[in-house]
Amino acid sequence: MPTASPAAEPASRSGETVTTPVLLPKTSESPQLLKIRHSMSHVLAMAVQKLFPRAQVTIGPWTESGFYYDFDHPEPFTEADLKAIKKEMGKIIGRRLPLERIEVSRAEAEARISAQNEPYKLEILAGLIEPITLYTLGEEWWDLCAGPHVANTSELNPKAFELESVAGAYWRGDEKRAQLQRIYGTAWETAEQLAEHQRRKQEALRRDHRRLGIDLDLFSIEDEAGAGLVFWHPRGARMRLLIEDFWRQAHFASGYELLYTPHVADLSLWKTSGHLDFYRESMFGPMDVDERQFQLKPMNCPFHVLTYANTLRSYKELPIRWAELGTVYRYERPGVMHGLMRVRGFTQDDAHIFCLPEQIGDEILGVLNLTETILSTFDFQNYEVHLSTRPEKSIGEDAVWELATAGLVEALDRKGWAYKIDEGGGAFYGPKIDIKIEDAIGRLWQCSTIQLDFNLPERFDLHYVAADGQRARPIMIHRAIFGSLERFFGILVENYAGDFPFWLAPEQIRLLPVTDEVLPHAHTVLAQLNAAGVRATLDRSGERLGKLIRKGEQMKIPLLGVIGTQEAEQGSVNLRSRRNGDLGAVALAELLAAAAQANSVRAAGLELPVG
């Protein structure tokens, strides 16, 4: 999947600028980058301990775009400290120090670690199996590590790395244990790659959905109500309704029926489903009602299962496709919540398909087609697809696993999508397909998932009457396309940078009357636009036209309609488009027809065909 973005090259002979892509591979895609970034984390730790002798080291892995190292240090690292650390790292790189792998006995490793008073390394050592390996960095510093690393710091480009930030982190991810300081960095093979990485980071900041959510008055998270609970403001709620309506229509067209299920259920349901055993830490505590315990639902699946079990089904009824925009509640630790991307209450676009074993391939293909239809409507065209197969610990018969996996492979092959195989990465209850979407600046987001489930039909003893009159177990397919509406909305905001296509914009046209004398005509235009289903508003502030236009542009409204004396006399509107600039005077009838057409086709990025 393309992840390149353009960087300018010198002008050609014709005087035009030629661009070539600056590729930014992920660490997992480049063995050399993996070595560079892993080695940089060691250089970072060496520099920190040289400048701050009291700092104790913990872990320092690579990430997909860089590296980090966690330190236990009594004083917080400052921006000035980061600059000093980076300078020291440059000196270490310039010394051309070798990185060498050494195998040692457990006793020798323990003695060396104890001599340096590194208690965190002792705890890491206790969990390692032999052989125990160290990596030295010159003769002055070493770390307990399995590698791999570059052979020498001369392979590290001193102009292609940067220290980016400091954040808090708990040892072993446990908030009851020591709080550490995590220094994040990035490293590349070339300075051009570093510059492109930094450009993309700045672009990501410009697109941050948390800031745009405030600027465009779309949503908020109110401390008084509680962290991770989303308040949809009128503009954001209008967009959500548009998304939901499109989602429902697409599902009806694909043979789904809709369900509505409760937000709570008796605790016994979650025991039967297994969620209480396997998912307890992500569930809110139970509520005592009428001497029974009820639980907020963390998932919709058991409710759909109960609906299926309400009646004995025949094989002739299958497949059954049920979908729901179901709100669920999950406990998230305070440190991991992030805008709309990680919240405690969210709405999943869940669907469950109950089918015969021989229907798996067709049903999965149908889900893939529906997924493409929905995602492409929001301008997501590039996907990264992963097929995850049976893990070591699993339930279900071998023959059913083989049939299910073959059905997923068949569907992907028929769809013609390239995919990667994650051997052993499936859930314990069935194989799955995960789909990541690429946004406008090349980032990948996990959204859609398709999972086969052999667990819940077994736990709830689901059946259908087969052709031979015997009872048989149905195949159950879980699937979500958005994942959650909240998270998908956050991704949408960042993908469009808040500049939404006409059909999706919460406010499509804002009318700007130049004087009070034209207000009657402006109200007439507003009423007709609203009656035609166009989301139009009228700015009644009476401010100067220049300021009205600036306000409309700041709110990223697709069309601004200026109404002066001439427009009032002619029965027209002078349109200004965010994408195409001034469109001139347009008759109201023409505007109404064009807006209705733009809304009906839901074409992402479609321009209003007027002027």
Side-chain angles (χ1 to χ4, degrees):
M1 185 171 64
T3 56
S5 63
E9 275 194 343
S12 65
R13 289 181 183 177
S14 64
E16 297 179 352
T17 299
V18 179
T19 60
T20 56
V22 176
L23 297 177
L24 299 183
K26 295 186 292 187
T27 304
S28 57
E29 299 170 340
S30 169
Q32 182 61 15
L33 265 183
L34 190 153
K35 292 178 182 179
I36 288 172
R37 289 168 175 167
H38 201 176
S39 302
M40 272 295 191
S41 74
H42 281 214
V43 173
L44 166 62
M46 179 177 175
V48 167
Q49 291 199 304
K50 182 169 183 179
L51 296 176
F52 304 93
R54 291 189 297 168
Q56 293 177 320
V57 292
T58 61
I59 58 171
W62 53 267
T63 67
E64 287 292 11
S65 62
F67 59 93
Y68 68 82
Y69 214 111
D70 289 349
F71 301 93
D72 189 340
H73 185 253
E75 301 296 329
F77 292 119
T78 66
E79 285 296 323
D81 292 336
L82 288 189
K83 291 179 181 178
I85 294 167
K86 181 186 177 184
K87 185 175 181 180
E88 184 62 32
M89 290 174 69
K91 292 178 181 178
I92 293 170
I93 293 171
R95 291 168 59 187
R96 307 174 71 88
L97 299 176
L99 288 90
E100 296 182 353
R101 180 180 183 274
I102 302 174
E103 285 192 18
V104 296
S105 67
R106 185 175 299 275
E108 182 181 349
E110 184 173 346
R112 293 180 68 159
I113 294 170
S114 298
Q116 292 192 343
N117 188 30
E118 294 285 8
Y120 298 100
K121 290 296 182 183
L122 280 177
E123 187 174 331
I124 294 172
L125 176 64
L128 297 181
I129 59 174
E130 298 190 29
I132 307 298
T133 59
L134 313 175
Y135 268 84
T136 62
L137 186 49
E139 298 180 355
E140 305 169 29
W141 197 86
W142 57 270
D143 199 1
L144 189 67
C145 184
H149 290 279
V150 298
N152 192 286
T153 59
S154 61
E155 296 180 47
L156 306 176
N157 187 339
K159 295 183 179 180
F161 84 95
E162 187 61 74
L163 298 184
E164 297 184 305
S165 62
V166 182
Y170 290 106
W171 173 234
R172 300 291 199 189
D174 186 346
E175 58 215 37
K176 296 178 181 178
R177 305 197 66 182
Q179 185 165 14
L180 310 172
Q181 296 185 72
R182 176 171 296 176
I183 298 180
Y184 285 98
T186 188
W188 301 88
E189 294 184 74
T190 68
E192 290 76 17
Q193 287 179 315
L194 174 62
E196 174 62 11
H197 168 76
Q198 292 173 327
R199 184 196 67 79
R200 292 192 192 183
K201 280 196 68 177
Q202 287 301 313
E203 182 62 17
L205 288 175
R206 186 181 74 85
R207 294 168 177 264
D208 192 321
H209 76 281
R210 294 168 298 176
R211 179 182 63 80
L212 288 171
I214 295 172
D215 292 347
L216 302 180
D217 194 22
L218 300 174
F219 66 88
S220 63
I221 296 175
E222 304 295 339
D223 290 339
E224 188 175 352
L229 302 174
V230 181
F231 286 70
W232 293 83
H233 295 199
R235 294 170 66 84
R238 179 65 69 95
M239 292 184 66
R240 172 171 171 159
L241 180 62
L242 290 165
I243 294 168
E244 289 181 356
D245 284 348
F246 166 63
W247 181 91
R248 291 187 184 96
Q249 291 175 25
H251 279 74
F252 284 136
S254 296
Y256 286 77
E257 294 293 340
L258 298 187
L259 298 182
Y260 292 95
T261 60
H263 288 233
V264 299
D266 190 286
L267 197 64
S268 61
L269 178 68
W270 308 109
K271 291 179 181 177
T272 303
S273 69
H275 287 94
L276 202 62
D277 292 330
F278 299 108
Y279 214 71
R280 185 190 298 267
E281 290 185 359
S282 295
M283 298 169 70
F284 284 98
M287 301 174 284
D288 293 317
V289 181
D290 297 335
E291 299 182 356
R292 297 173 66 180
Q293 286 191 311
F294 286 78
Q295 183 79 51
L296 283 169
K297 64 175 178 180
M299 294 185 181
N300 298 301
C301 322
F303 293 82
H304 292 201
V305 170
L306 286 184
T307 306
Y308 177 93
N310 180 259
T311 302
L312 181 60
R313 314 282 173 174
S314 165
Y315 75 96
K316 296 179 181 179
E317 298 177 62
L318 305 184
I320 291 173
R321 308 182 191 103
W322 288 336
E324 178 180 15
L325 292 169
T327 300
V328 299
Y329 304 89
R330 298 180 188 173
Y331 175 73
E332 297 284 1
R333 292 195 308 248
V336 302
M337 286 181 287
H338 178 81
L340 297 181
M341 304 302 189
R342 198 83 176 261
V343 293
R344 287 175 170 168
F346 54 95
T347 300
Q348 288 188 306
D349 66 321
D350 261 340
H352 296 90
I353 300 171
F354 302 90
C355 67
L356 307 175
E358 59 268 26
Q359 294 172 332
I360 292 175
D362 287 341
E363 289 305 306
I364 298 298
L365 180 60
V367 173
L368 295 177
N369 288 336
L370 179 59
T371 298
E372 184 177 30
T373 294
I374 290 177
L375 294 180
S376 62
T377 299
F378 298 98
D379 286 337
F380 295 111
Q381 307 289 348
N382 294 326
Y383 317 118
E384 183 176 286
V385 182
H386 294 260
L387 169 64
S388 300
T389 61
R390 187 175 191 173
E392 202 169 305
K393 293 183 179 180
S394 60
I395 64 168
E397 300 176 1
D398 291 347
V400 179
W401 270 90
E402 290 170 6
L403 181 67
T405 304
L408 296 182
V409 170
E410 174 201 343
L412 286 169
D413 288 343
R414 287 167 64 189
K415 184 63 180 169
W417 281 357
Y419 59 92
K420 301 177 182 179
I421 296 180
D422 180 9
E423 293 287 356
F428 74 93
Y429 51 76
K432 63 176 182 173
I433 294 171
D434 289 319
I435 301 172
K436 297 179 180 180
I437 58 176
E438 182 186 20
D439 71 8
I441 57 173
R443 297 174 300 181
L444 292 174
W445 301 91
Q446 171 65 54
C447 284
S448 311
T449 187
I450 307 164
Q451 300 180 352
L452 272 75
D453 188 349
F454 314 135
N455 179 45
L456 289 184
E458 186 78 28
R459 281 180 172 270
F460 285 89
D461 196 25
L462 299 186
H463 293 97
Y464 64 89
V465 178
D468 60 4
Q470 300 298 310
R471 294 193 176 190
R473 191 85 69 200
I475 297 294
M476 182 177 178
I477 302 172
H478 303 260
R479 54 112 285 215
I481 295 175
F482 295 146
S484 87
L485 276 177
E486 285 75 7
R487 186 168 181 273
F488 186 75
F489 188 80
I491 295 169
L492 270 186
V493 172
E494 298 198 1
N495 185 58
Y496 290 124
D499 195 359
F500 303 110
F502 182 83
W503 78 270
L504 188 58
E507 184 180 357
Q508 295 176 308
I509 302 175
R510 179 178 292 183
L511 302 178
L512 310 178
V514 176
T515 65
D516 289 345
E517 285 71 22
V518 301
L519 278 175
H521 175 63
H523 281 289
T524 299
V525 173
L526 177 66
Q528 293 191 44
L529 287 169
N530 289 158
V534 181
R535 295 180 293 282
T537 62
L538 175 62
D539 191 322
R540 300 177 177 88
S541 65
E543 295 173 319
R544 291 181 298 103
L545 181 60
K547 188 170 184 179
L548 295 181
I549 291 173
R550 284 195 299 275
K551 285 168 56 180
E553 290 175 340
Q554 288 170 353
M555 295 302 290
K556 302 181 186 294
I557 299 167
L559 288 172
L560 299 176
V562 177
I563 298 178
T565 304
Q566 185 176 353
E567 287 77 24
E569 292 174 352
Q570 296 176 347
S572 65
V573 179
N574 197 301
L575 289 181
R576 181 186 181 92
S577 166
R578 275 189 62 78
R579 295 172 185 251
N580 292 339
D582 291 328
L583 300 177
V586 178
L588 179 55
E590 187 180 355
L591 172 59
L592 289 169
Q597 172 65 14
N599 281 335
S600 68
V601 298
R602 292 194 185 92
L606 182 70
E607 294 298 337
L608 199 65
V610 296

